[in-house]
Amino acid sequence: MKLSIHDRLRRRDLLQLLGSAALALPALELFEGAARAQTSTTSKFAVFIYTPDGVNQNAFWPTGNTNSFQLSPILSPFEPFKDKILILGPQMNGNSPIGGTGLTYCTGCGGTVGADHVPLQHQAVVCLSGRGRGSSGDIPYISPQDSAVNKLDGPSVDTVIGEAVKADSPFATLNFGIHPVGGDTPSDINFADDGTPLKRMSTPDEAWNRVFGMPVMSQSGSLADQHKLTALSNYLHGRFAGLKPQLSAYDRQLLDGHLSSLRTYEDRKSKQFKMQTSGCTQPTKTAVPTDDTSIRTGSDTQMLAPFYLDIISSAFACNISKVASVSFGYPGGGDAGGLRMPWLGFNDPMHFVSHHGADQAKLDKYMKMSQWIASQIAYLMSKLAATPDGTGKTLLDQTTIYWFNRHGDGDAHSNTNLPNVILGGTGGYFKMGRYLQLPATNPTKVLISIANAMGVNLTSFGKDAFKDTAPLAGLTG
Amino acid sequence: MKIRARFSKAALQPWFALMVSLAACKGEILGGQGSGNNGVPTSVSGGGADTGTSGGAGATAIDCQAPHAPALHARLLTPSQYDNTVTDLVKVDGDPAKNFGGGVATQLDDLGVELRANAAADIAHQAVLSLANWSPCVSPPADATACEQQIIDKIGPQVYRHPLATDERAELQTLFDAGVQEKDFATGVEWFLSGVLQSPDFLYQLSKLQTAEVSGKLVAIPPYELASRLSYFIWDSTPDDALYAAASSDALLDSAGLQSQLDRMLKDPRFLRGVTGFYTSWLNLGGFREVARDDPAFTTDIASSLRTSLLMSATELYRGMTPPNVSSLFSGTSYYLNGTLRTFYGLPGTDTAFSPTEMPSEERRGILTHPGLMALLARPDQSNPISRGLFIRRTILCQSLPPPPAGVVIPPLPPVAAGLSTRDRLDQHTKVALCASCHDLIDPPGFALENFDQVGRHRTADSGKATDTSGTMSGAGDLDGAFATGGDLLSRMAQSQDVKACFAQKYFEYAVSRLAADEDACSVDALKQDFVPSGDLLALVMSIANTDSFRFRLSEGTP
């Protein structure tokens, strides 16, 4: 069946799209049917960027006032995007944030303890889920070997949004992790509908193959692949069915979850994916060093971050997903490994510099690491700004980026003055280009606001002390 | 064979420590001496998501006259178990599970499924190309049908780890036939292998319901399941034919039959894999993949050599003629160094391969002062007494400690400067009462190791000041008391009963792939009774396999 004039891919575009994979032209026949490919006028996108370990509070907050402000050293990479930033700051005393103001986990809890004697400030806060771990009634955190126990009772907000706006994109969300060597341990950021912690893509190959390894790009002939997938699916579903009656209640649930994931995977593999055309290009695969020394020193992160961000930009352009997240490192991170940035001139992991003890040398490194992450987000913004969304706007216009942290000041593991920022055009939903100084505010409100910005009407989110039922007032204007 | 940490870096991440009381550290350390529970709230027993804690002190007393065991849930093969099994069954190498990530009890999400699907496809593809290495019959087979049957009959039970039921066999036949139908015999093999390597039968160690199970009653783990449990513990891989034969004849159900297999398994070369698996976890060897130090001479070659050397400290004990003993682990001044490391540490010797090298003048005491371990537990430009101290508390003494208390303004540390040693800079920990409550417990064992710098070199000065490795241990069972030098403390550790008891517990936890639960208390105590007097590392493995916790499970009833 011939392509219509409107959705025919030019050969040049296709080869650019497929990169070095030499594919015979007959693959064009796969782009059949009506021009589904255009992004709908209401398509919006969201990116959640997580960094652990707080920030150098002396170098994060702008000066000036709501509509006329000067960016701090850490935020300086966003200078070209000042009209597309919304800083959710604390109230300030001169140049210092007032503790207990701004985005604060568990407002009013400070210093008090929960029923199991865990001070609520020190609970592991599950940032995108509006929950704490270790408070009474919540699920304690056990080391990853028993991670099934670390299920929450529901999804993180990125999953909620991703599932709601997915439409015919193959992925509800794309989750990336820097820098878990040996494969990801399940996330404390991303959770599936049933509360299962979600893994993040952790290597460049894994990410590239997952996102771009659509059947349409298969070289081996799609019909044989379909038959194989069907035969395997029949066999595997038979196994799950055959085993179920032989298992305990707990194990049935475990395997049901696995089967559900298998179905998600099979659905995606079996669809003939129709590509968005406008702006849809594929990033170069070979840019990231994967040798032992680059991984050992963490220098690969310098290439890995923009590579993942390129994938996100392309995924949005190609309608592969509308929601993505990137976790820069892990909370804590120990001594060996964790987030390092040797190209900045030092080997210290983020966690170490976050415990700055007011040492100026460490504070300086701490600032530089956060600043580099800001520069990466600015890079993403520039990629999105350069990509049309097919309706006359750019992807950046339609994207909401949320850069969020688990702590305010990493040294004291504080849960107040969180350095969280909204960026992007947000589809015109938020009034951007402002620096807000907020009283004590439940960060869950921001999660509700972002869901609303994406067209998802959340009336309540989170649990216990972290629960909220309203968006944050004042964000939309 | 690539060696990887199976578990997370939890031992080095104070942030993840689960605490029960923060009022003060003193008196609040749980676990250690005499306790079957290391104080961390336990999991998996009782089914479903555990919300409560079951702390050590104050738990209802268990009568050890009767056998006890917790419930046993499905466990994913770990990455090394998956890799070893694939090597054993179809002779394909290359670490296909390298990015599976941790989490034995994980519920697989769509990415986890995809990783395993891709790995299965790759392995199947390679196995077809090297059919002669593993298949009972070759390709193109003279009689394809007969060869198909042979492959199903051989590999099917091996991937499911039990004899095939009729319907199970039929399903495999259907899958294989579909591939043959699609193209040819080789495609049949490929589809068959792709499928079985993704099957839940393969990916999990499963506990299947017995007839009419009663909730709360103990169930003996049946022979084939026990065979898997034994082989994945002792060999870090799938059972072999002899173990299946023992399962089939019920030999594993009586102590003589079990012992016979244990004797055989511990003498088998595959035992080294199981040993490697334990020590990789215990020492967190995965950390070497990400250890960077400011010293430009600390290269990737050094880091990987140190990793190998550290592992060999343990595994070589199992190769000698003398039965390996835990006291050898904690003593000795000789380490397996290669040429690269000898040059780095300024030691004589021309042998480029790993060989025993003396470091006697440096007051080394076995594995705890191994240069690699010292380098691992450090910062890029300085030692880290806190992470070293925590390692001693958590990994060596099985104690858990909470993170810093909330709302405390942590006093500023003086920066690294001439005349201030690492120890000096941490002095606030002892001067400020709130800090001291925990740091008096954490810091001393870390200070004991201050003669070893951030790349594992011995030193007697730090930032121009003489190192001070004296201190006092408290809340440390038979290690309590003052020590004049780090060497004194380390010598005491080599003799300590509490250290041995904790080692037994750690090995047990590795064997059962989870933290010790209340229902394990009797098993763990019995283990400690056996192990502490003897220190016999082979007997420990056998004792673990003989515990009630290993051979029984608590029924959660039939749903």
Side-chain angles (χ1 to χ4, degrees):
Chain A
M1 190 147 117
K2 277 173 79 167
L3 293 173
S4 80
I5 198 84
H6 297 292
D7 58 11
R8 184 196 300 274
L9 271 185
R10 291 175 296 173
R11 185 171 200 276
R12 180 156 58 90
D13 285 344
L14 180 61
L15 288 177
Q16 181 183 21
L17 176 64
L18 297 170
S20 59
L23 200 68
L25 274 175
L28 279 171
E29 288 168 8
L30 295 166
F31 292 87
E32 299 181 352
R36 177 278 135 232
Q38 298 299 319
T39 310
S40 91
T41 50
T42 57
S43 264
K44 294 185 180 181
F45 306 91
V47 185
F48 295 86
I49 309 270
Y50 167 68
T51 45
D53 301 333
V55 293
N56 176 347
Q57 290 273 330
N58 299 336
F60 189 87
W61 302 110
T63 52
N65 56 47
T66 306
N67 296 302
S68 171
F69 54 94
Q70 298 75 45
L71 293 173
S72 62
I74 291 174
L75 296 178
S76 59
F78 297 122
E79 193 64 43
F81 299 109
K82 267 184 93 172
D83 63 333
K84 288 188 166 65
I85 191 169
L86 181 56
I87 300 155
L88 307 171
Q91 288 157 349
M92 300 292 278
N93 179 5
N95 289 333
S96 299
I98 298 172
T101 68
L103 295 180
T104 299
Y105 284 121
C106 194
T107 311
C109 298
T112 59
V113 298
D116 58 358
H117 303 284
V118 174
L120 289 163
Q121 277 186 5
H122 267 293
Q123 287 173 354
V125 175
V126 189
C127 301
L128 290 184
S129 302
R131 279 156 175 77
R133 285 198 191 278
S135 66
S136 55
D138 260 336
I139 303 167
Y141 184 88
I142 313 292
S143 74
Q145 69 188 13
D146 290 320
S147 57
V149 183
N150 292 326
K151 276 180 78 157
L152 290 186
D153 50 3
S156 53
V157 77
D158 57 319
T159 298
V160 171
I161 295 169
E163 299 277 352
V165 304
K166 180 176 182 272
D168 58 353
S169 302
F171 293 97
T173 60
L174 292 172
N175 301 319
F176 300 86
I178 306 172
H179 177 276
V181 178
D184 197 16
T185 49
S187 169
D188 215 25
I189 302 296
N190 312 107
F191 291 84
D193 276 335
D194 65 351
T196 305
L198 294 172
K199 284 172 67 76
R200 291 159 291 200
M201 291 172 270
S202 62
T203 71
D205 273 357
E206 187 182 321
W208 202 96
N209 291 334
R210 178 166 169 78
V211 177
F212 296 107
M214 294 290 128
V216 70
M217 302 199 190
S218 161
Q219 290 192 54
S220 57
S222 65
L223 204 59
D225 282 349
Q226 285 289 347
H227 290 170
K228 182 177 180 185
L229 190 66
T230 304
L232 285 174
S233 175
N234 289 341
Y235 160 72
L236 288 172
H237 288 220
R239 287 320 305 138
F240 281 96
L243 279 172
K244 189 162 181 171
Q246 304 180 61
L247 302 176
S248 68
Y250 186 96
D251 286 348
R252 289 180 194 193
Q253 197 183 19
L254 196 68
L255 261 63
D256 276 348
H258 180 168
L259 178 58
S260 168
S261 300
L262 177 64
R263 287 201 171 102
T264 302
Y265 166 77
E266 289 167 347
D267 281 348
R268 198 171 66 245
K269 284 302 203 186
S270 68
K271 283 189 164 76
Q272 285 299 338
F273 180 61
K274 297 182 181 73
M275 295 287 250
Q276 161 71 355
T277 55
S278 172
C280 177
T281 61
Q282 174 184 288
T284 317
K285 196 179 173 190
T286 54
V288 187
T290 53
D291 60 280
D292 287 344
T293 300
S294 296
I295 291 174
R296 183 178 64 82
T297 60
S299 65
D300 59 336
T301 297
Q302 190 182 24
M303 298 294 139
L304 194 57
F307 180 68
Y308 284 166
L309 298 171
D310 285 346
I311 291 178
I312 290 173
S313 178
S314 293
F316 288 174
C318 301
N319 192 29
I320 293 174
S321 181
K322 300 182 180 73
V323 177
S325 75
V326 183
S327 297
F328 278 84
Y330 287 69
D335 286 303
L339 187 63
R340 279 93 44 79
M341 300 182 187
W343 61 90
L344 296 178
F346 51 89
N347 289 314
D348 308 82
M350 182 103 171
H351 184 225
F352 176 53
V353 302
S354 74
H355 285 288
H356 51 80
D359 170 356
Q360 193 53 51
K362 285 170 99 173
L363 282 166
D364 191 56
K365 292 173 179 173
Y366 195 21
M367 180 275 288
K368 288 190 165 113
M369 292 181 93
S370 302
Q371 185 185 60
W372 183 81
I373 292 171
S375 77
Q376 297 307 294
I377 300 173
Y379 170 78
L380 172 65
M381 293 174 81
S382 64
K383 289 284 295 202
L384 295 172
T387 309
D389 79 334
T391 72
K393 295 199 162 77
T394 70
L395 286 183
L396 185 62
D397 290 331
Q398 304 290 61
T399 297
T400 301
I401 299 171
Y402 187 40
W403 182 20
F404 64 101
N405 205 307
R406 192 191 289 269
H407 291 303
D409 171 27
D411 200 10
H413 286 191
S414 80
N415 287 357
T416 184
N417 309 150
L418 300 179
N420 295 0
V421 178
I422 298 176
L423 297 135
T426 76
Y429 186 84
F430 293 123
K431 185 170 180 222
M432 304 302 287
R434 295 185 296 152
Y435 162 42
L436 305 180
Q437 296 191 27
L438 303 166
T441 303
N442 186 353
T444 303
K445 285 187 181 299
V446 181
L447 303 183
I448 293 174
S449 293
I450 292 174
N452 292 349
M454 290 292 289
V456 180
N457 183 26
L458 278 189
T459 51
S460 171
F461 197 67
K463 203 172 158 186
D464 296 336
F466 307 92
K467 179 175 173 175
D468 215 289
T469 53
L472 179 54
L475 294 191
T476 55
Chain B
M1 172 182 63
K2 252 188 154 197
I3 298 167
R4 297 170 50 251
R6 176 169 322 138
F7 300 134
S8 79
K9 298 175 251 191
L12 298 175
Q13 289 174 334
W15 186 87
F16 287 141
L18 204 27
M19 50 286 198
V20 174
S21 170
L22 269 202
C25 271
K26 286 207 161 50
E28 294 300 340
I29 297 181
L30 300 169
Q33 181 185 14
S35 166
N37 183 335
N38 71 354
V40 180
T42 59
S43 65
V44 293
S45 59
D50 291 289
T51 54
T53 63
S54 44
T60 48
I62 296 179
D63 167 28
C64 289
Q65 293 304 313
H68 294 272
L72 190 59
H73 295 149
R75 292 135 285 149
L76 281 170
L77 296 190
T78 66
S80 69
Q81 288 171 346
Y82 182 104
D83 283 348
N84 288 335
T85 304
V86 164
T87 298
D88 287 349
L89 294 189
V90 294
K91 309 290 184 278
V92 170
D93 296 320
D95 199 3
K98 65 166 105 34
N99 288 320
F100 282 8
V104 168
T106 305
Q107 181 171 299
L108 287 181
D109 65 354
D110 139 57
L111 176 53
V113 165
E114 177 170 331
L115 291 174
R116 284 162 178 78
N118 290 346
D122 283 345
I123 294 162
H125 181 70
Q126 290 184 63
V128 163
L129 295 176
S130 54
L131 200 69
N133 289 351
W134 59 274
S135 171
C137 41
V138 297
S139 168
D143 181 348
T145 315
C147 189
E148 174 176 338
Q149 305 318 312
Q150 284 186 62
I151 289 177
I152 295 174
D153 287 334
K154 174 173 195 261
I155 302 295
Q158 286 179 334
V159 287
Y160 285 12
R161 297 187 290 273
H162 59 74
L164 300 177
T166 315
D167 55 343
E168 289 168 345
R169 199 194 181 288
E171 284 169 337
L172 294 172
Q173 177 94 47
T174 302
L175 177 60
F176 201 124
D177 286 347
V180 173
Q181 181 85 352
E182 178 71 23
K183 194 170 172 210
D184 55 19
F185 175 81
T187 306
V189 177
E190 187 170 343
W191 288 21
F192 168 76
L193 287 177
S194 293
V196 295
L197 291 172
Q198 293 181 67
S199 68
D201 309 78
F202 175 69
L203 291 174
Y204 298 92
Q205 289 192 67
L206 295 168
S207 301
K208 293 180 181 166
L209 293 171
Q210 319 251 304
T211 14
E213 275 198 28
V214 176
S215 179
K217 291 279 185 226
L218 230 53
V219 171
I221 293 171
Y224 282 95
E225 290 177 16
L226 189 59
S228 281
R229 201 171 201 201
L230 286 167
S231 74
Y232 280 113
F233 163 40
I234 297 173
W235 287 343
D236 207 31
S237 189
T238 195
D240 66 355
D241 289 345
L243 194 52
Y244 284 133
S248 144
S249 69
D250 281 356
L252 293 178
L253 293 179
D254 75 72
S255 52
L258 176 59
Q259 192 56 45
S260 162
Q261 285 304 306
L262 290 172
D263 287 336
R264 182 181 72 88
M265 292 177 81
L266 264 61
K267 292 192 176 80
D268 189 291
R270 283 169 283 192
F271 179 48
L272 254 317
R273 281 164 162 176
V275 166
T276 296
F278 169 70
Y279 288 103
T280 300
S281 162
W282 188 65
L283 295 165
N284 188 28
L285 294 185
F288 281 104
R289 289 198 65 191
E290 294 190 272
V291 61
R293 297 287 167 258
D294 285 358
D295 184 340
F298 193 89
T299 59
T300 302
D301 198 8
I302 298 285
S304 69
S305 298
L306 282 173
R307 183 209 171 120
T308 302
S309 171
L310 182 53
L311 180 61
M312 286 175 81
S313 285
T315 57
E316 289 300 302
L317 293 177
Y318 294 78
R319 285 190 197 267
M321 298 305 292
T322 45
N325 196 292
V326 73
S327 52
S328 305
L329 212 52
F330 292 111
S331 58
T333 53
S334 171
Y335 300 95
Y336 289 89
L337 304 185
N338 62 2
T340 306
L341 292 176
R342 268 190 286 278
T343 305
F344 185 73
Y345 293 112
L347 294 164
T350 52
D351 193 355
T352 51
F354 286 94
S355 58
T357 311
E358 283 289 327
M359 297 172 122
S361 59
E362 302 182 353
E363 305 156 52
R364 301 265 182 181
R365 298 278 195 283
I367 207 164
L368 291 179
T369 56
H370 188 288
L373 188 63
M374 294 295 89
L376 199 57
L377 298 170
R379 310 272 198 215
D381 63 345
Q382 57 193 272
S383 63
N384 190 342
I386 297 171
S387 65
R388 291 172 180 180
L390 284 171
F391 176 83
I392 301 289
R393 286 287 175 182
R394 291 185 175 135
T395 303
I396 305 299
L397 293 173
C398 292
Q399 296 175 329
S400 63
L401 289 155
V408 161
V409 175
I410 295 175
L413 286 178
V416 178
L420 270 186
S421 67
T422 304
R423 181 168 182 157
D424 286 342
R425 281 184 294 101
L426 295 174
D427 258 348
Q428 271 84 355
H429 288 162
T430 48
K431 291 198 177 93
V432 177
L434 186 59
C435 305
S437 67
C438 290
H439 277 280
D440 277 353
L441 301 165
I442 299 169
D443 296 3
F447 290 149
L449 296 164
E450 268 295 275
N451 279 349
F452 303 102
D453 73 7
Q454 61 272 14
V455 294
R457 286 197 184 97
H458 183 255
R459 63 182 182 185
T460 49
D462 172 22
S463 296
K465 204 172 158 192
T467 51
D468 172 9
T469 62
S470 66
T472 303
M473 286 293 276
S474 53
D478 63 5
L479 289 180
D480 275 358
F483 49 94
T485 66
D488 288 348
L489 177 62
L490 291 163
S491 299
R492 293 223 296 265
M493 289 175 74
Q495 309 302 320
S496 159
Q497 298 200 325
D498 290 325
V499 168
K500 292 190 178 85
C502 173
F503 186 88
Q505 179 174 321
K506 290 293 184 190
Y507 217 122
F508 172 84
E509 291 177 342
Y510 168 81
V512 297
S513 301
R514 56 178 169 69
L515 301 171
D518 282 345
E519 296 92 333
D520 293 312
C522 300
S523 291
V524 173
D525 282 350
L527 267 182
K528 291 174 176 177
Q529 305 281 358
D530 285 345
F531 181 68
V532 168
S534 76
D536 182 334
L537 292 168
L538 298 181
L540 176 60
V541 171
M542 300 206 222
S543 297
I544 289 171
N546 272 292
T547 58
D548 293 338
S549 286
F550 199 86
R551 293 182 306 121
F552 294 88
R553 61 175 175 81
L554 186 69
S555 172
E556 296 172 296
T558 308

